[in-house]
């Protein structure tokens, strides 16, 4: 833990003894606002410059959408917290080579979007709006909190759409299992007292989702999995992820049963995994294999090869 985080931990824990509400409010402000905007990298610019750009009004700002290809066989790419759509650039190129039409975005408070922050409901609504404009998506690729929001969109749809989001395939990379995990992990990383965890949860309930019933159950992937989801899911996680425990993806794969294939990488952590060539190749193979299987089933032929076992 660096000096700044140590100072924050000491200040918040100290304040929680004499002014727990004040300390809880400070923790809440840290929790809900990204530490900084992820900037466009030089190697991402050529691809981003070729995109068809749009916008989506959501929450406290405007999301920026990016679209490539002809529109045939659309695929949605969903980023997570403190990230941006351009981080999927290597995968976008692969998908274009396969004849698919990738769509991604920068959520409010991220990348080139306006606003200062986003919620999981904002992400859900962006997914649903892009589905209405460009879907149904043949596949959704989501990272981190984007995985949680994708399952929520599959179960609920969006605030302005009556139809549910549907997709044939899903790639879940470094997925956050539920919203409660984010709160607990935030407090754990800062070394905050249990009292502050409770104060933070209360702030989230009252200020982010007022009037909602049991958000901790609602924003939970394990609860969503039995109710919604595609027939085929590629679950990817790095063994050295220090932000989201790899056990979370193992549990997701177990919950999905025969629908899931689990790929475990090493040495990539939580963020570099998105653009890693090995992961991009795994997604490409997943697309090709599942596409061939679907065509074969339509023609009455058995699957060309069995799905790799989770592990």
């Amino acid at each position: 833990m660096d000096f700044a985080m140590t100072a924050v931990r000491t200040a918040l824990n100290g304040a929680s003894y004499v002014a727990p509400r004040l300390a809880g409010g400070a923790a809440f402000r840290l929790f809900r606002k990204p530490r900084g905007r992820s900037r466009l990298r030089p190697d991402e610019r050529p691809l981003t410059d070729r995109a068809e750009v749009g916008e989506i009004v959501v929450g406290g700002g405007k999301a920026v959408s990016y679209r490539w290809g002809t529109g045939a066989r659309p695929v949605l790419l969903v980023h997570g917290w403190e990230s941006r759509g351009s981080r999927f650039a290597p995968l976008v190129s692969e998908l274009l080579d396969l004849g698919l039409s990738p769509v991604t975005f920068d959520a409010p408070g991220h990348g080139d979007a306006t606003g200062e922050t986003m919620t999981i409901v904002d992400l859900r609504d962006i997914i649903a709006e892009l589905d209405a404009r460009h879907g149904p998506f043949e596949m959704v690729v989501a990272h981190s909190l984007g995985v949680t929001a994708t399952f929520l969109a599959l179960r609920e749809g969006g605030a302005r759409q009556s139809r549910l989001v549907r997709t044939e395939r899903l790639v879940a990379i470094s997925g956050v299992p539920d919203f409660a995990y984010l709160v607990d992990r935030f407090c754990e990383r800062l070394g905050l007292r249990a009292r502050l965890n409770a104060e933070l949860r209360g702030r989230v309930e009252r200020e982010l989702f007022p009037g909602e019933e049991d958000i901790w159950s609602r924003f939970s992937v394990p609860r969503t999995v039995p109710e919604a989801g595609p027939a085929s899911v590629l679950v990817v996680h790095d063994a050295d992820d220090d932000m989201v425990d790899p056990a979370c993806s193992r549990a997701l794969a177990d919950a999905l049963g025969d629908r899931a294939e689990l790929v475990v990488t090493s040495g990539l952590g939580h963020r570099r995994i998105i653009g890693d060539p090995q992961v991009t190749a795994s997604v490409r193979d997943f697309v090709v294999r599942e596409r061939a299987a679907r065509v074969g089933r339509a023609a009455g032929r058995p699957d060309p090869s069995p799905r790799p076992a989770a592990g």
Side-chain angles (χ1 to χ4, degrees):
M1 181 176 293
D2 60 26
F3 176 77
M5 292 183 68
T6 301
V8 170
R9 177 190 63 190
T10 301
L12 289 177
N13 282 331
S16 69
Y17 286 99
V18 294
R21 289 190 177 182
L22 187 64
F28 175 70
R29 287 189 292 274
L30 283 175
F31 173 77
R32 69 165 309 201
K33 188 172 181 180
R35 290 173 296 177
R37 284 182 183 265
S38 184
R39 298 185 180 277
L40 186 69
R41 295 170 180 165
D43 60 333
E44 297 168 349
R45 184 172 295 280
L47 190 65
T48 302
D49 287 345
R50 289 165 44 199
E52 176 187 311
V53 180
E55 65 176 35
I56 303 167
V57 178
V58 62
K62 293 181 181 178
V64 179
S65 64
Y66 307 91
R67 180 172 174 247
W68 297 266
T70 64
R73 301 180 62 195
V75 173
L76 179 63
L77 311 174
V78 184
H79 72 76
W81 188 251
E82 294 178 350
S83 188
R84 58 182 295 146
S86 63
R87 293 296 181 262
F88 290 106
L91 183 55
V92 168
S93 296
E94 288 283 353
L95 296 174
L96 286 169
D97 288 344
L98 291 171
L100 282 76
S101 299
V103 177
T104 189
F105 61 89
D106 297 338
H110 294 70
D112 291 334
T114 64
E116 295 186 350
T117 190
M118 69 175 180
T119 69
I120 189 173
V121 171
D122 293 334
L123 272 181
R124 179 206 66 181
D125 289 347
I126 293 168
I127 293 167
E129 181 63 28
L130 289 173
D131 177 74
R133 294 183 187 184
H134 306 299
F137 291 107
E138 184 170 313
M139 181 174 69
V140 177
V141 180
H143 176 246
S144 192
L145 182 60
V147 175
T148 327
T150 297
F151 274 100
L152 187 64
L154 291 171
R155 181 164 59 88
E156 295 184 355
R160 294 198 293 265
Q161 284 76 35
S162 58
R163 74 177 190 180
L164 297 180
V165 174
R166 290 286 181 250
T167 186
E168 299 172 14
R169 297 188 289 277
L170 172 64
V171 179
I173 304 174
S174 309
V176 173
D178 51 48
F179 202 67
Y181 183 89
L182 289 178
V183 175
D184 292 343
R185 191 74 179 109
F186 172 83
C187 292
E188 179 185 337
R189 286 175 66 85
L190 277 179
L192 301 183
R193 298 175 59 225
R195 175 66 182 272
L196 273 175
N197 186 304
E199 286 287 342
L200 180 54
R201 283 178 177 248
R203 291 269 183 170
V204 168
E205 292 170 354
R206 294 190 303 272
E207 299 186 34
L208 287 186
F209 308 105
E212 297 277 357
E213 294 185 5
D214 193 11
I215 62 170
W216 311 109
S217 176
R218 177 187 170 198
F219 302 149
S220 172
V221 172
R223 177 179 180 271
T224 303
V225 163
E227 302 177 16
S232 300
V233 183
L234 178 64
V235 182
V236 185
H237 213 117
D238 192 77
D240 301 308
D241 190 330
D242 64 349
M243 296 186 69
V244 179
D245 192 328
C248 297
S249 284
R250 293 189 182 276
L252 173 60
D254 289 343
L256 289 164
D258 292 342
R259 288 187 279 169
E261 169 190 344
L262 176 63
V263 172
V264 179
T265 61
S266 62
L268 300 175
H270 187 71
R271 300 192 185 279
R272 287 195 298 119
I273 193 171
I274 307 173
D276 180 72
Q278 177 188 346
V279 174
T280 300
S282 294
V283 175
R284 181 188 181 98
D285 291 346
F286 178 66
V287 172
V288 172
R289 184 175 63 251
E290 292 296 327
R291 179 74 173 176
R294 190 179 70 163
V295 171
R297 287 192 295 269
R301 298 191 300 270
D303 287 355
S305 61
R307 180 177 300 170

